[in-house]
Amino acid sequence: MSKSHFNTISLIGMPGAGKSTVGVLLAKLSGLAFNDTDLAIQTAANATLQEIVDSRGYLALRAIEEEILLAVPLAGAVVATGGSVVYSEAIMQRLRAAGPVVYLKVGLAALERRVAAAPNRGIACDAGDSFATVYEERTPLYERYADIIVDAQSGDSQQVANRIMARLATV
């Protein structure tokens, strides 16, 4: 695999899809830096995502996410986004203008297993919403904004990163 001809590659998908893990590997393959926007949000808010949701609500988390993602430098990086970025038209326009947006697609059952292994992820949704409800609501948005959809359920993270590089070479 050779270096990517893109200056920015953005990863979108549900919590548990592997955006952070695959993003680091993709950055190595592409020769780009790695930017995890969830970490940028936590640093700016001086709180974990879960603490933000617990103390200020999920809409506050989405507002902070939008503020950060409209300001953070995107050039020269693989950007792993939070799962709720697709609720912001402004963020998605900015990401798409910077380079390809890659949706890491994983089925609901696999995501539920992955998220159960790491609870308290700070998912930006109403407390009454089930994970399945959030999945059903977000999936059409991920598909709408994605330039590339990649199966992130089969194979390990390295194979997923390799799959993305192969797809990017054809774009």
Side-chain angles (χ1 to χ4, degrees):
M1 298 272 166
S2 62
K3 211 175 145 179
S4 171
H5 57 280
F6 294 104
N7 191 33
T8 304
I9 303 164
S10 298
L11 303 179
I12 62 172
M14 283 291 289
K19 299 178 299 288
S20 297
T21 307
V22 170
V24 169
L25 298 169
L26 186 60
K28 289 178 182 179
L29 289 173
S30 64
L32 297 171
F34 176 67
N35 182 344
D36 188 322
T37 62
D38 280 350
L39 296 178
I41 291 165
Q42 291 182 167
T43 301
N46 197 26
T48 67
L49 302 180
Q50 189 65 52
E51 288 168 349
I52 296 167
V53 171
D54 290 346
S55 66
R56 296 166 60 189
Y58 76 96
L59 293 176
L61 175 56
R62 288 187 190 170
I64 295 166
E65 179 176 59
E66 183 170 76
E67 184 182 322
I68 296 290
L69 271 134
L70 292 178
V72 72
L74 299 176
V78 171
V79 180
T81 66
S84 60
V85 296
V86 290
Y87 292 116
S88 169
E89 180 76 30
I91 292 172
M92 294 313 301
Q93 285 179 358
R94 182 169 189 243
L95 293 176
R96 291 186 86 185
V101 172
V102 180
Y103 168 33
L104 301 186
K105 186 172 185 152
V106 178
L108 178 59
L111 287 169
E112 286 179 327
R113 280 193 305 276
R114 292 177 186 183
V115 170
N120 299 323
R121 296 176 70 99
I123 298 172
C125 64
D126 187 276
D129 288 347
S130 70
F131 192 78
T133 300
V134 174
Y135 178 85
E136 294 302 322
E137 183 177 287
R138 291 183 185 179
T139 297
L141 296 172
Y142 295 135
E143 291 173 351
R144 181 173 106 205
Y145 287 118
D147 297 304
I148 298 170
I149 298 175
V150 173
D151 168 18
Q153 186 168 322
S154 62
D156 62 23
S157 298
Q158 187 65 57
Q159 291 169 317
V160 174
N162 290 341
R163 230 176 268 145
I164 294 168
M165 286 298 290
R167 293 287 303 281
L168 290 171
T170 66
V171 175

